[in-house]
Amino acid sequence: MSQPTTSVIPLFHAPDGVGYKLLELPPELVSLLESDNPPTLTITPSSTAALLKTPDGKTYSLRQNNTSNTLILLTPNQSPSVVPVPGAETETWPVGGGLCAVATVHETIELVPETAEAAAPAVKARGKWHEKFAKGR
């Protein structure tokens, strides 16, 4: 059996059926969550958006944005597998590990800081296709 001359990392398609969204955190919130004593955050509904509230009184609106760049979530493949040898119909190479593509992410959630005097979160401009039709996603 011939051995590969280059490294082979097999990629498997193994969707897990879970809908994922990427949450973009502002740097000050990341540092707060990575502190020695991270606080408990709460998400509350409002008339126009969900609001994330921190114990120190800061409020963020959660806004969904569609992205034109596809993000692929990968996980290590735990089961050993084989890949076909290029040009040989019956020969295979044993390959341990590899990667599994479990999901693709097309939307991100951004946190928009809200001012204390704002009664309701700022409403984004309407009229773009993805803002009209992505609500059901």
Side-chain angles (χ1 to χ4, degrees):
M1 180 168 92
S2 63
Q3 293 297 319
T5 58
T6 60
S7 298
V8 176
I9 301 175
L11 178 64
F12 301 97
H13 185 250
D16 61 3
V18 177
Y20 293 94
K21 299 216 190 272
L22 179 66
L23 181 62
E24 295 182 38
L25 299 175
E28 63 271 7
L29 194 54
V30 170
S31 61
L32 185 66
L33 292 173
E34 290 178 340
S35 67
D36 292 335
N37 190 14
T40 301
L41 305 176
T42 57
I43 296 177
T44 58
S46 77
S47 59
T48 57
L51 301 175
L52 180 102
K53 296 185 179 187
T54 63
D56 61 357
K58 292 185 180 176
T59 302
Y60 299 89
S61 290
L62 279 71
R63 302 286 182 194
Q64 176 176 300
N65 292 325
N66 290 358
T67 178
S68 60
N69 298 326
T70 299
L71 303 169
I72 301 173
L73 296 180
L74 301 172
T75 185
N77 183 20
Q78 302 301 325
S79 59
S81 58
V82 294
V83 295
V85 174
E89 293 182 19
T90 59
E91 203 172 345
T92 59
W93 288 321
V95 177
L99 297 172
C100 290
V102 294
T104 56
V105 178
H106 300 283
E107 296 91 16
T108 60
I109 304 294
E110 69 175 344
L111 297 179
V112 179
E114 292 294 325
T115 59
E117 62 272 359
V123 178
K124 291 179 79 174
R126 298 287 179 201
K128 294 182 181 176
W129 180 91
H130 65 273
E131 290 174 348
K132 290 182 180 180
F133 299 104
K135 278 190 159 194
R137 287 187 169 190

